[in-house]
Structure formats: C-alpha cells, structure tokens
Amino acid sequence: MASQLGLQNETIPLTTRAAVTTALGMRTELSSDWPVKNPSALAPGECIVKIEYTGVCHSDLHLMLGDWLEQPLLPSVGGHEGVGRVVAIGAHTADRGVKIGDRVGIKHTIGTCMRCDMCLRGFDQHCPDRVVSGRDVDGTFAEYMVAFVDQLIPIPAALSSVAAAPILCAGVTVYDALKKLDAPTGSWLVISGGGGGLGHLGIQYAISRGLRVAAIDTGADKRTLCLSLGAEAFIDYAESTDVPADVRAATDPLGVHAALVTTTSSLSYVQAAKYVRRQGTILCVGVPPTLTDFPIGLVVDRGIKLIASQTGGRLAVQEALALAARGKYGLQPVSFRPDESSLDAMHVIG
C-alpha cells in the first residue's frame, strides 16, 4: 500500500490558478481561487499533480465551443496534455509504481475501468467508462489537478516537459494511427494538414517508420516547416486547382500508399480517396462536422481501406514519448498558440 494516511511532499493550497470556461466559446477566465481537493479527501487511486506545462489540443477548443455531442460541464477547467509532478497520493492506494515527486503526463483518457474488453486489449481510450480530462473532470489548465495513478504516464528523463506535453495527445494520436498502417518501408504517405499541431508531428513519426512524406497545407511558413521536418513534397491546397493530380505528380503516378487526414475538412477526405492508390489506406483522424460528397463508390472499387484512430492507449503514449526522448529523429513539437483566449495563465504550448 502506498500509505494508510495518504502522502504529500508539500503544503498544497486549497485553491489554485486556473483557466476556467464559464460559457460556450473559445474564451477562458483566469481564476485565482479555483478549488483544489484536500489531500485527505482523495479517494484510493487518486492523486494530485502540480502542473508544469500544458498543451492546448484542438479538441479542447471544440469542447469549449460546444461542437461535439459531449458538452463541457460549466464552469470547468479544460486540458489533457499536461506534465507535472505528483504531490499527493490518496490513502489506501495500491502500489502502481507512482511515487511522490514523479514527473508524469496527463493524457486525454485520465481514468478507465481497467477490466473491460477494451482495457484488457490495450484500447483503454475506448473504455465505455472512460473519464476524459477536461471534459468529465477538471483538466490541465490549472496549477493543481486531481488525476488517477493508473493512467499517469512516466516522462522519460531525456525529454523536457515542454516537449513532452503535446506528445500526450497530438503526438500519440498520429503515432498510434501510423501503427495501424501496413505499408512497407519507402511507401508514400500524404499528411493532410501537415503543418498543423498533429501534422508536423506526424511527419516526424512517419519518417521514423521509414515512410516518404508529402504534406498538404497552405502558406509559405507551413511549406518551410514541413520541408524542414523532412517532407519531400509540399502541396499548397490554396494554390492548387487539382490537389489529387498535384499529389500524384509530386509522388507517384499510381497514387500514394496512404493518407493521414488530420484536418476537419470534408474535402480532405474526398481528395484523399482520389490520390490514394488501389489497396491503399486512409487513416482517419480529423473529424469533419459532416462528410460531404465522399466518393464511396470509388473507395470500394479501388479497395481502399479506411482506418479510424482516436488518440492512443497507455502503451502507445509511452512508445511515442520514448521515441521523442531518443532524439534520433529530432522529434520536437512546434508551439501553436490559439487566438482569442486567455489560456496563457500557464506555460501553454501545443
């Protein structure tokens, strides 16, 4: 047992600074007195993490805007890409290898039943009883938060906290999607949204798997970023009159082996169906509000596989962090700061 009385290594305040969502919209209000659970009230398996860095995931913004079926409990504190130190552990918590002072990551799925078919098979992010950080409980946009020891992720010593934070969702989302791809070394992969938060990490993870990458995005800055990270081709969708034709011209006339769609544009899926080769794969990560004009007949005729991927489980997160920590591929996140919000109450990246 960790302790019969609970453990803590510092005086934990009863209130904390937090970026609080009070109404639907991409705005937060900085609160200096958001309540923190008293360590003595922690249930077995609960702990308190003092957050050092947090990313801002696009899904955080969707939730704040009320774009999804799951609505935030208002007022609430969002965030699920946090890195910090464990400062308290609830009494009667079974030993899970988590100790006071450990540097840990808070990911999207912060709690699961640990017993269902999904959890036992390593798909804990699909647990029907999952608890999502920033949606079901207050998340990482605060200096202190309650977490569950079973879902904490150890951060490799060689990886800085600021670099680790976006890997906990953006990074593992593309990493786990690419794990599902059955394509030989040297295969062409197109990343739609290659210059974005997920896409730029996807470029680096794809190259680490021996894939050749072409990126679709727009603007000189995105072009420079994608090419500097190792993409061999860049298609600017705003300048192109025929994206599928330009993709084939830049890669292979037969079409690419796979597409990783990270954008929420329905058109990105339509285009992918036209530039992926026969028996190719579309990795579905971005979620459009509606999928309009998708050529399902073409997909069936060409035998194209559609594989959906929604973030990653504990093992995938640890693998994604370990690969970044090795530094062999220079895997580093680029800071993308959201507009029109007051989330800079903390160190914010992602």
Side-chain angles (χ1 to χ4, degrees), residues 117-156:
D117 176 62
M118 290 291 98
C119 287
L120 294 175
R121 291 171 57 198
F123 303 117
D124 39 287
Q125 72 271 31
H126 296 298
C127 173
D129 295 323
R130 68 178 181 171
V131 179
V132 174
S133 176
R135 187 193 75 185
D136 304 317
V137 295
D138 286 336
T140 61
F141 298 164
E143 290 182 295
Y144 293 87
M145 68 169 291
V146 174
F148 302 93
V149 295
D150 284 332
Q151 292 289 334
L152 294 178
I153 304 296
I155 304 298

PDB file of all heavy atoms in Angstrom, residues 117-156:
ATOM      1  N   ASP A 117     -13.302  -5.343 -21.977  1.00  0.00           N
ATOM      2  CA  ASP A 117     -12.618  -5.896 -23.140  1.00  0.00           C
ATOM      3  C   ASP A 117     -11.653  -4.887 -23.753  1.00  0.00           C
ATOM      4  O   ASP A 117     -10.524  -5.230 -24.115  1.00  0.00           O
ATOM      5  CB  ASP A 117     -13.660  -6.330 -24.177  1.00  0.00           C
ATOM      6  CG  ASP A 117     -13.044  -6.839 -25.463  1.00  0.00           C
ATOM      7  OD1 ASP A 117     -12.321  -7.849 -25.411  1.00  0.00           O
ATOM      8  OD2 ASP A 117     -13.271  -6.226 -26.528  1.00  0.00           O
ATOM      9  N   MET A 118     -12.055  -3.633 -23.863  1.00  0.00           N
ATOM     10  CA  MET A 118     -11.198  -2.618 -24.450  1.00  0.00           C
ATOM     11  C   MET A 118      -9.947  -2.388 -23.602  1.00  0.00           C
ATOM     12  O   MET A 118      -8.827  -2.312 -24.128  1.00  0.00           O
ATOM     13  CB  MET A 118     -11.962  -1.299 -24.622  1.00  0.00           C
ATOM     14  CG  MET A 118     -13.041  -1.327 -25.692  1.00  0.00           C
ATOM     15  SD  MET A 118     -12.381  -1.441 -27.388  1.00  0.00           S
ATOM     16  CE  MET A 118     -12.544  -3.208 -27.709  1.00  0.00           C
ATOM     17  N   CYS A 119     -10.102  -2.280 -22.288  1.00  0.00           N
ATOM     18  CA  CYS A 119      -8.964  -2.051 -21.410  1.00  0.00           C
ATOM     19  C   CYS A 119      -8.000  -3.232 -21.441  1.00  0.00           C
ATOM     20  O   CYS A 119      -6.776  -3.052 -21.526  1.00  0.00           O
ATOM     21  CB  CYS A 119      -9.438  -1.810 -19.981  1.00  0.00           C
ATOM     22  SG  CYS A 119     -10.227  -0.202 -19.709  1.00  0.00           S
ATOM     23  N   LEU A 120      -8.541  -4.437 -21.394  1.00  0.00           N
ATOM     24  CA  LEU A 120      -7.695  -5.626 -21.360  1.00  0.00           C
ATOM     25  C   LEU A 120      -6.935  -5.829 -22.663  1.00  0.00           C
ATOM     26  O   LEU A 120      -5.855  -6.423 -22.680  1.00  0.00           O
ATOM     27  CB  LEU A 120      -8.542  -6.860 -21.042  1.00  0.00           C
ATOM     28  CG  LEU A 120      -9.157  -6.893 -19.638  1.00  0.00           C
ATOM     29  CD1 LEU A 120     -10.064  -8.102 -19.485  1.00  0.00           C
ATOM     30  CD2 LEU A 120      -8.064  -6.915 -18.568  1.00  0.00           C
ATOM     31  N   ARG A 121      -7.490  -5.324 -23.769  1.00  0.00           N
ATOM     32  CA  ARG A 121      -6.836  -5.478 -25.075  1.00  0.00           C
ATOM     33  C   ARG A 121      -5.919  -4.310 -25.406  1.00  0.00           C
ATOM     34  O   ARG A 121      -5.330  -4.268 -26.481  1.00  0.00           O
ATOM     35  CB  ARG A 121      -7.893  -5.638 -26.166  1.00  0.00           C
ATOM     36  CG  ARG A 121      -8.657  -6.963 -26.093  1.00  0.00           C
ATOM     37  CD  ARG A 121      -9.824  -6.977 -27.057  1.00  0.00           C
ATOM     38  NE  ARG A 121      -9.404  -6.725 -28.427  1.00  0.00           N
ATOM     39  CZ  ARG A 121     -10.220  -6.338 -29.400  1.00  0.00           C
ATOM     40  NH1 ARG A 121     -11.513  -6.139 -29.135  1.00  0.00           N
ATOM     41  NH2 ARG A 121      -9.769  -6.143 -30.620  1.00  0.00           N
ATOM     42  N   GLY A 122      -5.783  -3.360 -24.482  1.00  0.00           N
ATOM     43  CA  GLY A 122      -4.879  -2.238 -24.704  1.00  0.00           C
ATOM     44  C   GLY A 122      -5.499  -1.042 -25.382  1.00  0.00           C
ATOM     45  O   GLY A 122      -4.785  -0.126 -25.783  1.00  0.00           O
ATOM     46  N   PHE A 123      -6.830  -1.048 -25.503  1.00  0.00           N
ATOM     47  CA  PHE A 123      -7.536   0.089 -26.106  1.00  0.00           C
ATOM     48  C   PHE A 123      -8.275   0.869 -25.030  1.00  0.00           C
ATOM     49  O   PHE A 123      -9.473   1.136 -25.140  1.00  0.00           O
ATOM     50  CB  PHE A 123      -8.516  -0.398 -27.174  1.00  0.00           C
ATOM     51  CG  PHE A 123      -7.889  -1.215 -28.273  1.00  0.00           C
ATOM     52  CD1 PHE A 123      -8.253  -2.533 -28.469  1.00  0.00           C
ATOM     53  CD2 PHE A 123      -6.932  -0.655 -29.095  1.00  0.00           C
ATOM     54  CE1 PHE A 123      -7.675  -3.291 -29.475  1.00  0.00           C
ATOM     55  CE2 PHE A 123      -6.341  -1.400 -30.109  1.00  0.00           C
ATOM     56  CZ  PHE A 123      -6.702  -2.726 -30.301  1.00  0.00           C
ATOM     57  N   ASP A 124      -7.565   1.247 -23.980  1.00  0.00           N
ATOM     58  CA  ASP A 124      -8.233   1.891 -22.848  1.00  0.00           C
ATOM     59  C   ASP A 124      -8.875   3.216 -23.225  1.00  0.00           C
ATOM     60  O   ASP A 124      -9.797   3.672 -22.547  1.00  0.00           O
ATOM     61  CB  ASP A 124      -7.270   2.081 -21.672  1.00  0.00           C
ATOM     62  CG  ASP A 124      -5.877   2.477 -22.089  1.00  0.00           C
ATOM     63  OD1 ASP A 124      -5.157   1.617 -22.606  1.00  0.00           O
ATOM     64  OD2 ASP A 124      -5.514   3.658 -21.894  1.00  0.00           O
ATOM     65  N   GLN A 125      -8.400   3.842 -24.324  1.00  0.00           N
ATOM     66  CA  GLN A 125      -9.038   5.091 -24.758  1.00  0.00           C
ATOM     67  C   GLN A 125     -10.468   4.871 -25.241  1.00  0.00           C
ATOM     68  O   GLN A 125     -11.231   5.826 -25.400  1.00  0.00           O
ATOM     69  CB  GLN A 125      -8.207   5.767 -25.862  1.00  0.00           C
ATOM     70  CG  GLN A 125      -8.229   5.097 -27.222  1.00  0.00           C
ATOM     71  CD  GLN A 125      -7.153   4.046 -27.400  1.00  0.00           C
ATOM     72  OE1 GLN A 125      -6.753   3.401 -26.445  1.00  0.00           O
ATOM     73  NE2 GLN A 125      -6.675   3.870 -28.621  1.00  0.00           N
ATOM     74  N   HIS A 126     -10.849   3.605 -25.479  1.00  0.00           N
ATOM     75  CA  HIS A 126     -12.206   3.289 -25.914  1.00  0.00           C
ATOM     76  C   HIS A 126     -13.032   2.632 -24.800  1.00  0.00           C
ATOM     77  O   HIS A 126     -14.116   2.101 -25.078  1.00  0.00           O
ATOM     78  CB  HIS A 126     -12.168   2.362 -27.129  1.00  0.00           C
ATOM     79  CG  HIS A 126     -11.549   2.985 -28.345  1.00  0.00           C
ATOM     80  ND1 HIS A 126     -12.081   4.089 -28.965  1.00  0.00           N
ATOM     81  CD2 HIS A 126     -10.425   2.664 -29.044  1.00  0.00           C
ATOM     82  CE1 HIS A 126     -11.317   4.421 -30.005  1.00  0.00           C
ATOM     83  NE2 HIS A 126     -10.311   3.575 -30.070  1.00  0.00           N
ATOM     84  N   CYS A 127     -12.541   2.664 -23.595  1.00  0.00           N
ATOM     85  CA  CYS A 127     -13.296   2.110 -22.461  1.00  0.00           C
ATOM     86  C   CYS A 127     -14.649   2.806 -22.367  1.00  0.00           C
ATOM     87  O   CYS A 127     -14.724   4.033 -22.393  1.00  0.00           O
ATOM     88  CB  CYS A 127     -12.515   2.311 -21.166  1.00  0.00           C
ATOM     89  SG  CYS A 127     -13.412   1.845 -19.664  1.00  0.00           S
ATOM     90  N   PRO A 128     -15.754   2.048 -22.269  1.00  0.00           N
ATOM     91  CA  PRO A 128     -17.071   2.698 -22.176  1.00  0.00           C
ATOM     92  C   PRO A 128     -17.246   3.528 -20.913  1.00  0.00           C
ATOM     93  O   PRO A 128     -18.112   4.403 -20.870  1.00  0.00           O
ATOM     94  CB  PRO A 128     -18.050   1.521 -22.208  1.00  0.00           C
ATOM     95  CG  PRO A 128     -17.253   0.329 -21.822  1.00  0.00           C
ATOM     96  CD  PRO A 128     -15.865   0.575 -22.309  1.00  0.00           C
ATOM     97  N   ASP A 129     -16.407   3.285 -19.909  1.00  0.00           N
ATOM     98  CA  ASP A 129     -16.487   4.046 -18.666  1.00  0.00           C
ATOM     99  C   ASP A 129     -15.324   5.024 -18.524  1.00  0.00           C
ATOM    100  O   ASP A 129     -14.989   5.448 -17.417  1.00  0.00           O
ATOM    101  CB  ASP A 129     -16.495   3.090 -17.462  1.00  0.00           C
ATOM    102  CG  ASP A 129     -17.725   2.216 -17.429  1.00  0.00           C
ATOM    103  OD1 ASP A 129     -18.816   2.710 -17.793  1.00  0.00           O
ATOM    104  OD2 ASP A 129     -17.605   1.037 -17.051  1.00  0.00           O
ATOM    105  N   ARG A 130     -14.735   5.396 -19.632  1.00  0.00           N
ATOM    106  CA  ARG A 130     -13.563   6.263 -19.568  1.00  0.00           C
ATOM    107  C   ARG A 130     -13.911   7.624 -18.963  1.00  0.00           C
ATOM    108  O   ARG A 130     -15.050   8.114 -19.077  1.00  0.00           O
ATOM    109  CB  ARG A 130     -12.965   6.466 -20.962  1.00  0.00           C
ATOM    110  CG  ARG A 130     -13.848   7.279 -21.884  1.00  0.00           C
ATOM    111  CD  ARG A 130     -13.203   7.505 -23.244  1.00  0.00           C
ATOM    112  NE  ARG A 130     -14.066   8.317 -24.088  1.00  0.00           N
ATOM    113  CZ  ARG A 130     -13.715   8.819 -25.257  1.00  0.00           C
ATOM    114  NH1 ARG A 130     -12.514   8.572 -25.737  1.00  0.00           N
ATOM    115  NH2 ARG A 130     -14.551   9.555 -25.964  1.00  0.00           N
ATOM    116  N   VAL A 131     -12.916   8.212 -18.337  1.00  0.00           N
ATOM    117  CA  VAL A 131     -13.016   9.564 -17.800  1.00  0.00           C
ATOM    118  C   VAL A 131     -12.052  10.431 -18.603  1.00  0.00           C
ATOM    119  O   VAL A 131     -10.851  10.122 -18.688  1.00  0.00           O
ATOM    120  CB  VAL A 131     -12.653   9.608 -16.310  1.00  0.00           C
ATOM    121  CG1 VAL A 131     -12.730  11.038 -15.781  1.00  0.00           C
ATOM    122  CG2 VAL A 131     -13.574   8.692 -15.506  1.00  0.00           C
ATOM    123  N   VAL A 132     -12.555  11.479 -19.229  1.00  0.00           N
ATOM    124  CA  VAL A 132     -11.748  12.342 -20.090  1.00  0.00           C
ATOM    125  C   VAL A 132     -11.356  13.602 -19.336  1.00  0.00           C
ATOM    126  O   VAL A 132     -12.210  14.310 -18.787  1.00  0.00           O
ATOM    127  CB  VAL A 132     -12.519  12.703 -21.378  1.00  0.00           C
ATOM    128  CG1 VAL A 132     -11.740  13.709 -22.208  1.00  0.00           C
ATOM    129  CG2 VAL A 132     -12.802  11.446 -22.192  1.00  0.00           C
ATOM    130  N   SER A 133     -10.049  13.863 -19.322  1.00  0.00           N
ATOM    131  CA  SER A 133      -9.539  15.058 -18.657  1.00  0.00           C
ATOM    132  C   SER A 133     -10.047  16.311 -19.360  1.00  0.00           C
ATOM    133  O   SER A 133      -9.979  16.423 -20.584  1.00  0.00           O
ATOM    134  CB  SER A 133      -8.007  15.034 -18.681  1.00  0.00           C
ATOM    135  OG  SER A 133      -7.469  16.215 -18.126  1.00  0.00           O
ATOM    136  N   GLY A 134     -10.554  17.246 -18.585  1.00  0.00           N
ATOM    137  CA  GLY A 134     -11.050  18.498 -19.141  1.00  0.00           C
ATOM    138  C   GLY A 134     -12.477  18.441 -19.621  1.00  0.00           C
ATOM    139  O   GLY A 134     -13.045  19.469 -19.986  1.00  0.00           O
ATOM    140  N   ARG A 135     -13.067  17.236 -19.635  1.00  0.00           N
ATOM    141  CA  ARG A 135     -14.469  17.087 -20.019  1.00  0.00           C
ATOM    142  C   ARG A 135     -15.285  16.534 -18.859  1.00  0.00           C
ATOM    143  O   ARG A 135     -16.261  17.143 -18.433  1.00  0.00           O
ATOM    144  CB  ARG A 135     -14.620  16.167 -21.227  1.00  0.00           C
ATOM    145  CG  ARG A 135     -16.041  16.111 -21.778  1.00  0.00           C
ATOM    146  CD  ARG A 135     -16.230  14.969 -22.763  1.00  0.00           C
ATOM    147  NE  ARG A 135     -16.310  13.669 -22.088  1.00  0.00           N
ATOM    148  CZ  ARG A 135     -16.382  12.498 -22.721  1.00  0.00           C
ATOM    149  NH1 ARG A 135     -16.326  12.461 -24.046  1.00  0.00           N
ATOM    150  NH2 ARG A 135     -16.471  11.372 -22.044  1.00  0.00           N
ATOM    151  N   ASP A 136     -14.863  15.404 -18.348  1.00  0.00           N
ATOM    152  CA  ASP A 136     -15.581  14.767 -17.245  1.00  0.00           C
ATOM    153  C   ASP A 136     -15.070  15.227 -15.889  1.00  0.00           C
ATOM    154  O   ASP A 136     -15.800  15.173 -14.891  1.00  0.00           O
ATOM    155  CB  ASP A 136     -15.459  13.239 -17.351  1.00  0.00           C
ATOM    156  CG  ASP A 136     -15.943  12.722 -18.696  1.00  0.00           C
ATOM    157  OD1 ASP A 136     -16.992  13.203 -19.170  1.00  0.00           O
ATOM    158  OD2 ASP A 136     -15.280  11.850 -19.277  1.00  0.00           O
ATOM    159  N   VAL A 137     -13.827  15.624 -15.835  1.00  0.00           N
ATOM    160  CA  VAL A 137     -13.215  16.176 -14.622  1.00  0.00           C
ATOM    161  C   VAL A 137     -12.357  17.363 -15.040  1.00  0.00           C
ATOM    162  O   VAL A 137     -11.976  17.495 -16.205  1.00  0.00           O
ATOM    163  CB  VAL A 137     -12.345  15.132 -13.885  1.00  0.00           C
ATOM    164  CG1 VAL A 137     -13.186  13.994 -13.362  1.00  0.00           C
ATOM    165  CG2 VAL A 137     -11.234  14.608 -14.792  1.00  0.00           C
ATOM    166  N   ASP A 138     -12.034  18.229 -14.092  1.00  0.00           N
ATOM    167  CA  ASP A 138     -11.182  19.373 -14.388  1.00  0.00           C
ATOM    168  C   ASP A 138      -9.823  18.896 -14.887  1.00  0.00           C
ATOM    169  O   ASP A 138      -9.260  17.914 -14.385  1.00  0.00           O
ATOM    170  CB  ASP A 138     -11.005  20.248 -13.148  1.00  0.00           C
ATOM    171  CG  ASP A 138     -12.247  21.055 -12.832  1.00  0.00           C
ATOM    172  OD1 ASP A 138     -13.051  21.295 -13.763  1.00  0.00           O
ATOM    173  OD2 ASP A 138     -12.421  21.452 -11.660  1.00  0.00           O
ATOM    174  N   GLY A 139      -9.294  19.636 -15.890  1.00  0.00           N
ATOM    175  CA  GLY A 139      -8.088  19.197 -16.561  1.00  0.00           C
ATOM    176  C   GLY A 139      -6.852  20.008 -16.246  1.00  0.00           C
ATOM    177  O   GLY A 139      -6.705  20.573 -15.158  1.00  0.00           O
ATOM    178  N   THR A 140      -5.988  20.102 -17.249  1.00  0.00           N
ATOM    179  CA  THR A 140      -4.620  20.582 -17.051  1.00  0.00           C
ATOM    180  C   THR A 140      -4.445  22.090 -17.139  1.00  0.00           C
ATOM    181  O   THR A 140      -3.333  22.584 -16.970  1.00  0.00           O
ATOM    182  CB  THR A 140      -3.688  19.921 -18.080  1.00  0.00           C
ATOM    183  OG1 THR A 140      -4.117  20.271 -19.405  1.00  0.00           O
ATOM    184  CG2 THR A 140      -3.700  18.413 -17.932  1.00  0.00           C
ATOM    185  N   PHE A 141      -5.516  22.834 -17.407  1.00  0.00           N
ATOM    186  CA  PHE A 141      -5.399  24.290 -17.461  1.00  0.00           C
ATOM    187  C   PHE A 141      -5.454  24.875 -16.049  1.00  0.00           C
ATOM    188  O   PHE A 141      -6.181  25.826 -15.767  1.00  0.00           O
ATOM    189  CB  PHE A 141      -6.508  24.900 -18.315  1.00  0.00           C
ATOM    190  CG  PHE A 141      -6.498  24.481 -19.761  1.00  0.00           C
ATOM    191  CD1 PHE A 141      -7.622  24.692 -20.558  1.00  0.00           C
ATOM    192  CD2 PHE A 141      -5.391  23.884 -20.342  1.00  0.00           C
ATOM    193  CE1 PHE A 141      -7.634  24.301 -21.891  1.00  0.00           C
ATOM    194  CE2 PHE A 141      -5.387  23.491 -21.673  1.00  0.00           C
ATOM    195  CZ  PHE A 141      -6.515  23.696 -22.451  1.00  0.00           C
ATOM    196  N   ALA A 142      -4.695  24.287 -15.145  1.00  0.00           N
ATOM    197  CA  ALA A 142      -4.637  24.731 -13.756  1.00  0.00           C
ATOM    198  C   ALA A 142      -3.274  24.357 -13.194  1.00  0.00           C
ATOM    199  O   ALA A 142      -2.555  23.533 -13.769  1.00  0.00           O
ATOM    200  CB  ALA A 142      -5.746  24.094 -12.919  1.00  0.00           C
ATOM    201  N   GLU A 143      -2.921  24.934 -12.070  1.00  0.00           N
ATOM    202  CA  GLU A 143      -1.625  24.621 -11.474  1.00  0.00           C
ATOM    203  C   GLU A 143      -1.669  23.335 -10.666  1.00  0.00           C
ATOM    204  O   GLU A 143      -0.629  22.682 -10.491  1.00  0.00           O
ATOM    205  CB  GLU A 143      -1.152  25.792 -10.625  1.00  0.00           C
ATOM    206  CG  GLU A 143      -0.769  27.007 -11.457  1.00  0.00           C
ATOM    207  CD  GLU A 143      -0.249  28.157 -10.626  1.00  0.00           C
ATOM    208  OE1 GLU A 143      -1.025  28.705  -9.816  1.00  0.00           O
ATOM    209  OE2 GLU A 143       0.941  28.513 -10.788  1.00  0.00           O
ATOM    210  N   TYR A 144      -2.837  22.970 -10.167  1.00  0.00           N
ATOM    211  CA  TYR A 144      -3.014  21.707  -9.462  1.00  0.00           C
ATOM    212  C   TYR A 144      -4.261  21.023 -10.000  1.00  0.00           C
ATOM    213  O   TYR A 144      -5.268  21.677 -10.268  1.00  0.00           O
ATOM    214  CB  TYR A 144      -3.176  21.919  -7.947  1.00  0.00           C
ATOM    215  CG  TYR A 144      -1.954  22.445  -7.242  1.00  0.00           C
ATOM    216  CD1 TYR A 144      -1.714  23.815  -7.151  1.00  0.00           C
ATOM    217  CD2 TYR A 144      -1.037  21.573  -6.644  1.00  0.00           C
ATOM    218  CE1 TYR A 144      -0.593  24.304  -6.497  1.00  0.00           C
ATOM    219  CE2 TYR A 144       0.088  22.053  -5.984  1.00  0.00           C
ATOM    220  CZ  TYR A 144       0.303  23.421  -5.912  1.00  0.00           C
ATOM    221  OH  TYR A 144       1.414  23.899  -5.267  1.00  0.00           O
ATOM    222  N   MET A 145      -4.213  19.698 -10.148  1.00  0.00           N
ATOM    223  CA  MET A 145      -5.388  18.959 -10.590  1.00  0.00           C
ATOM    224  C   MET A 145      -5.373  17.566  -9.984  1.00  0.00           C
ATOM    225  O   MET A 145      -4.331  17.024  -9.620  1.00  0.00           O
ATOM    226  CB  MET A 145      -5.444  18.858 -12.107  1.00  0.00           C
ATOM    227  CG  MET A 145      -4.373  17.996 -12.731  1.00  0.00           C
ATOM    228  SD  MET A 145      -4.668  17.652 -14.489  1.00  0.00           S
ATOM    229  CE  MET A 145      -6.098  16.566 -14.403  1.00  0.00           C
ATOM    230  N   VAL A 146      -6.565  16.982  -9.899  1.00  0.00           N
ATOM    231  CA  VAL A 146      -6.705  15.604  -9.426  1.00  0.00           C
ATOM    232  C   VAL A 146      -6.599  14.666 -10.616  1.00  0.00           C
ATOM    233  O   VAL A 146      -7.195  14.904 -11.674  1.00  0.00           O
ATOM    234  CB  VAL A 146      -8.053  15.405  -8.705  1.00  0.00           C
ATOM    235  CG1 VAL A 146      -8.260  13.935  -8.343  1.00  0.00           C
ATOM    236  CG2 VAL A 146      -8.118  16.271  -7.455  1.00  0.00           C
ATOM    237  N   ALA A 147      -5.818  13.597 -10.457  1.00  0.00           N
ATOM    238  CA  ALA A 147      -5.654  12.593 -11.501  1.00  0.00           C
ATOM    239  C   ALA A 147      -5.754  11.211 -10.873  1.00  0.00           C
ATOM    240  O   ALA A 147      -5.945  11.075  -9.660  1.00  0.00           O
ATOM    241  CB  ALA A 147      -4.308  12.776 -12.205  1.00  0.00           C
ATOM    242  N   PHE A 148      -5.643  10.182 -11.710  1.00  0.00           N
ATOM    243  CA  PHE A 148      -5.753   8.802 -11.257  1.00  0.00           C
ATOM    244  C   PHE A 148      -4.430   8.095 -11.554  1.00  0.00           C
ATOM    245  O   PHE A 148      -3.947   8.112 -12.698  1.00  0.00           O
ATOM    246  CB  PHE A 148      -6.911   8.092 -11.963  1.00  0.00           C
ATOM    247  CG  PHE A 148      -8.238   8.769 -11.760  1.00  0.00           C
ATOM    248  CD1 PHE A 148      -8.701   9.701 -12.684  1.00  0.00           C
ATOM    249  CD2 PHE A 148      -9.003   8.515 -10.644  1.00  0.00           C
ATOM    250  CE1 PHE A 148      -9.912  10.347 -12.504  1.00  0.00           C
ATOM    251  CE2 PHE A 148     -10.222   9.157 -10.452  1.00  0.00           C
ATOM    252  CZ  PHE A 148     -10.683  10.071 -11.382  1.00  0.00           C
ATOM    253  N   VAL A 149      -3.857   7.464 -10.542  1.00  0.00           N
ATOM    254  CA  VAL A 149      -2.499   6.933 -10.677  1.00  0.00           C
ATOM    255  C   VAL A 149      -2.395   5.885 -11.791  1.00  0.00           C
ATOM    256  O   VAL A 149      -1.348   5.761 -12.437  1.00  0.00           O
ATOM    257  CB  VAL A 149      -1.998   6.348  -9.342  1.00  0.00           C
ATOM    258  CG1 VAL A 149      -1.864   7.438  -8.290  1.00  0.00           C
ATOM    259  CG2 VAL A 149      -2.897   5.223  -8.847  1.00  0.00           C
ATOM    260  N   ASP A 150      -3.458   5.111 -12.039  1.00  0.00           N
ATOM    261  CA  ASP A 150      -3.385   4.049 -13.040  1.00  0.00           C
ATOM    262  C   ASP A 150      -3.168   4.576 -14.451  1.00  0.00           C
ATOM    263  O   ASP A 150      -2.686   3.833 -15.320  1.00  0.00           O
ATOM    264  CB  ASP A 150      -4.666   3.203 -13.021  1.00  0.00           C
ATOM    265  CG  ASP A 150      -4.711   2.254 -11.837  1.00  0.00           C
ATOM    266  OD1 ASP A 150      -3.631   1.868 -11.368  1.00  0.00           O
ATOM    267  OD2 ASP A 150      -5.812   1.908 -11.388  1.00  0.00           O
ATOM    268  N   GLN A 151      -3.539   5.809 -14.720  1.00  0.00           N
ATOM    269  CA  GLN A 151      -3.439   6.353 -16.066  1.00  0.00           C
ATOM    270  C   GLN A 151      -2.350   7.412 -16.213  1.00  0.00           C
ATOM    271  O   GLN A 151      -2.219   8.024 -17.266  1.00  0.00           O
ATOM    272  CB  GLN A 151      -4.795   6.939 -16.499  1.00  0.00           C
ATOM    273  CG  GLN A 151      -5.887   5.904 -16.701  1.00  0.00           C
ATOM    274  CD  GLN A 151      -5.654   5.042 -17.935  1.00  0.00           C
ATOM    275  OE1 GLN A 151      -5.002   5.464 -18.885  1.00  0.00           O
ATOM    276  NE2 GLN A 151      -6.188   3.832 -17.928  1.00  0.00           N
ATOM    277  N   LEU A 152      -1.556   7.614 -15.189  1.00  0.00           N
ATOM    278  CA  LEU A 152      -0.436   8.548 -15.309  1.00  0.00           C
ATOM    279  C   LEU A 152       0.659   7.928 -16.170  1.00  0.00           C
ATOM    280  O   LEU A 152       0.895   6.721 -16.135  1.00  0.00           O
ATOM    281  CB  LEU A 152       0.126   8.890 -13.930  1.00  0.00           C
ATOM    282  CG  LEU A 152      -0.789   9.681 -12.994  1.00  0.00           C
ATOM    283  CD1 LEU A 152      -0.098   9.886 -11.649  1.00  0.00           C
ATOM    284  CD2 LEU A 152      -1.173  11.021 -13.605  1.00  0.00           C
ATOM    285  N   ILE A 153       1.334   8.763 -16.938  1.00  0.00           N
ATOM    286  CA  ILE A 153       2.372   8.296 -17.844  1.00  0.00           C
ATOM    287  C   ILE A 153       3.720   8.846 -17.381  1.00  0.00           C
ATOM    288  O   ILE A 153       3.895  10.069 -17.284  1.00  0.00           O
ATOM    289  CB  ILE A 153       2.101   8.758 -19.289  1.00  0.00           C
ATOM    290  CG1 ILE A 153       0.716   8.286 -19.757  1.00  0.00           C
ATOM    291  CG2 ILE A 153       3.197   8.264 -20.217  1.00  0.00           C
ATOM    292  CD1 ILE A 153       0.562   6.782 -19.834  1.00  0.00           C
ATOM    293  N   PRO A 154       4.699   7.983 -17.096  1.00  0.00           N
ATOM    294  CA  PRO A 154       6.025   8.491 -16.715  1.00  0.00           C
ATOM    295  C   PRO A 154       6.692   9.208 -17.880  1.00  0.00           C
ATOM    296  O   PRO A 154       6.621   8.750 -19.026  1.00  0.00           O
ATOM    297  CB  PRO A 154       6.792   7.220 -16.327  1.00  0.00           C
ATOM    298  CG  PRO A 154       6.083   6.103 -17.043  1.00  0.00           C
ATOM    299  CD  PRO A 154       4.646   6.508 -17.103  1.00  0.00           C
ATOM    300  N   ILE A 155       7.328  10.329 -17.597  1.00  0.00           N
ATOM    301  CA  ILE A 155       8.008  11.106 -18.628  1.00  0.00           C
ATOM    302  C   ILE A 155       9.490  10.729 -18.636  1.00  0.00           C
ATOM    303  O   ILE A 155      10.153  10.796 -17.603  1.00  0.00           O
ATOM    304  CB  ILE A 155       7.857  12.627 -18.365  1.00  0.00           C
ATOM    305  CG1 ILE A 155       6.372  13.020 -18.271  1.00  0.00           C
ATOM    306  CG2 ILE A 155       8.560  13.421 -19.461  1.00  0.00           C
ATOM    307  CD1 ILE A 155       5.580  12.759 -19.526  1.00  0.00           C
ATOM    308  N   PRO A 156      10.026  10.321 -19.787  1.00  0.00           N
ATOM    309  CA  PRO A 156      11.446   9.956 -19.849  1.00  0.00           C
ATOM    310  C   PRO A 156      12.338  11.100 -19.397  1.00  0.00           C
ATOM    311  O   PRO A 156      12.076  12.269 -19.708  1.00  0.00           O
ATOM    312  CB  PRO A 156      11.665   9.632 -21.325  1.00  0.00           C
ATOM    313  CG  PRO A 156      10.307   9.291 -21.858  1.00  0.00           C
ATOM    314  CD  PRO A 156       9.347  10.150 -21.092  1.00  0.00           C
TER     315      PRO A 156
END
